[in-house]
Amino acid sequence: MNRKTLIRAAALSLAVALGSASAPAQASKCEAGTIFNPLTKVRWTCIFPITIGGVRVGSFDKLDKELDAQSASKPLCACRKGSTFWFGVKVSFWSPNRMIDVVTEPGCMMALGADLLPTGGKLQGSQSSIADGTNSQKMFAQIHYYISPVWKMLDMFTDLPCIEDDGFDVAMITELLPTWQSGTLGAIIQPEGILFGNPAAGLACMADSAAAAAGKVLDPLFWCMGSWGATYPIAGDIHFGDSVEAWAGLAARGTFMMGRLGALTISSADGCSFKAQPVWTKSRYKLQIMEPVKGGKCVNIGRPGALWSSGKHAPGKDNAQFMSFEKVICCAGVSTP
């Protein structure tokens, strides 16, 4: 399913989404100062480590070791695309190429600093307590997923064959998706989610949470997001104890959703091409919070909020914006005749 098909389907469902919403009317509080500026908002240290032909540049942590080892063990590469053949050295780095808004004011496009989809007070975000004796809370918010290849926008490293050539674009607006407003509707089009709603799957997520706290990512447990919750149901509701952690969980769930919709790709291990990613590889992504407070570092999927979220929730500001860094593996070389 390509992006144009997704947008057409989303447009057809807008009336259904607005008609089924029952949230009370509220005035939108979309701030103008959130317009995306890659020079000031992106935490540039997150592009490290860079590995060139097996040699690491910059600091690295446990999260990076496994992926960087692909470059270290095979520093040379050779690729063929049609009649074009090239060989060279393998390069890997973290690329800032996607942005995600998590907003309680529907239609608030934080990257643009404008409310572009007035909903008449419907589809509002919310926070509520859960009366189950656990003192936990539930948050609901909308997300906006942007194609934002920062290297291309800054006209940098454009000679690398694995740098995306797409321009800035809005790939998904969940206000247009009835399935995002209701986990029940989401289960209709994502029936596999039922398989992960059992105690055994929940116990597996405990192991994923422990690994995330240590800076590791368990890719086989794709239905878990460490301490951030579960990927299913693919909807805007999430249980939380830390609101910043909940924002990150919804941003990560949005990335997972793009894969289930057929709109997510990653670079192949040989560095020669991009391949479809219907089920995400969690270790290929890390997030940096940009709004309401710029984060000092990037975090792996599921990292407990106690280790990074302190001071990131400015009073009275309940909209968040994240930059998603993707691990890119690239065969940078010279074409042969």
Side-chain angles (χ1 to χ4, degrees):
M1 185 182 295
N2 59 37
R3 192 181 307 154
K4 291 182 179 179
T5 303
L6 288 173
I7 295 298
R8 283 198 297 266
L12 289 174
S13 66
L14 176 59
V16 177
L18 293 176
S20 62
S22 58
Q26 297 182 21
S28 179
K29 300 177 182 178
C30 194
E31 299 182 27
T34 60
I35 298 175
F36 178 60
N37 182 340
L39 295 177
T40 59
K41 287 196 172 185
V42 176
R43 180 62 62 180
W44 289 104
T45 53
C46 290
I47 69 173
F48 294 103
I50 298 174
T51 304
I52 304 174
V55 179
R56 287 191 180 94
V57 179
S59 62
F60 63 95
D61 55 30
K62 294 179 181 179
L63 175 64
D64 303 308
K65 287 184 178 179
E66 183 176 353
L67 287 174
D68 281 344
Q70 298 178 27
S71 295
S73 60
K74 297 181 179 180
L76 301 180
C77 55
C79 300
R80 181 174 183 176
K81 186 176 182 180
S83 59
T84 304
F85 175 82
W86 71 94
F87 65 93
V89 296
K90 194 178 289 186
V91 178
S92 64
F93 57 94
W94 291 95
S95 176
N97 58 11
R98 297 292 185 269
M99 263 192 311
I100 307 169
D101 295 340
V102 181
V103 297
T104 55
E105 282 77 34
C108 179
M109 311 296 288
M110 297 187 71
L112 307 177
D115 189 345
L116 298 185
L117 187 68
T119 60
K122 298 181 179 180
L123 307 179
Q124 291 282 343
S126 63
Q127 294 186 21
S128 59
S129 299
I130 302 174
D132 60 358
T134 62
N135 294 322
S136 60
Q137 294 180 292
K138 182 171 71 173
M139 174 186 292
F140 175 80
Q142 307 289 349
I143 71 165
H144 308 140
Y145 188 93
Y146 305 86
I147 307 295
S148 54
V150 174
W151 297 128
K152 178 68 175 179
M153 294 165 67
L154 297 177
D155 198 25
M156 297 174 64
F157 305 118
T158 54
D159 54 335
L160 286 176
C162 53
I163 293 294
E164 288 187 277
D165 199 33
D166 293 337
F168 183 87
D169 195 6
V170 180
M172 179 55 64
I173 303 174
T174 57
E175 289 89 334
L176 306 180
L177 294 178
T179 54
W180 185 260
Q181 320 310 320
S182 167
T184 302
L185 289 177
I188 294 175
I189 65 170
Q190 305 288 352
E192 76 275 11
I194 299 174
L195 298 175
F196 306 109
N198 59 74
L203 289 174
C205 287
M206 293 177 63
D208 190 57
S209 180
K216 299 180 180 180
V217 178
L218 302 181
D219 285 329
L221 303 181
F222 65 88
W223 64 92
C224 303
M225 299 188 298
S227 296
W228 302 351
T231 56
Y232 294 98
I234 306 178
D237 290 308
I238 190 168
H239 292 190
F240 76 100
D242 178 341
S243 58
V244 179
E245 190 177 83
W247 292 339
L250 288 174
R253 186 179 288 174
T255 301
F256 179 79
M257 178 180 68
M258 296 304 290
R260 301 305 295 130
L261 293 175
L264 196 65
T265 60
I266 62 169
S267 54
S268 59
D270 59 9
C272 295
S273 62
F274 285 89
K275 61 181 182 179
Q277 182 88 148
V279 176
W280 67 351
T281 303
K282 292 185 295 183
S283 60
R284 289 291 193 102
Y285 303 95
K286 58 183 180 181
L287 295 177
Q288 175 224 331
I289 188 169
M290 296 188 293
E291 293 285 349
V293 178
K294 182 178 178 179
K297 60 181 179 180
C298 286
V299 295
N300 53 293
I301 300 298
R303 191 164 183 79
L307 300 178
W308 65 275
S309 68
S310 177
K312 300 299 186 297
H313 190 173
K317 296 186 178 182
D318 293 321
N319 295 332
Q321 185 181 44
F322 291 86
M323 174 59 69
S324 175
F325 286 75
E326 178 188 327
K327 189 68 175 184
V328 175
I329 301 173
C330 180
C331 183
V334 179
S335 298
T336 61

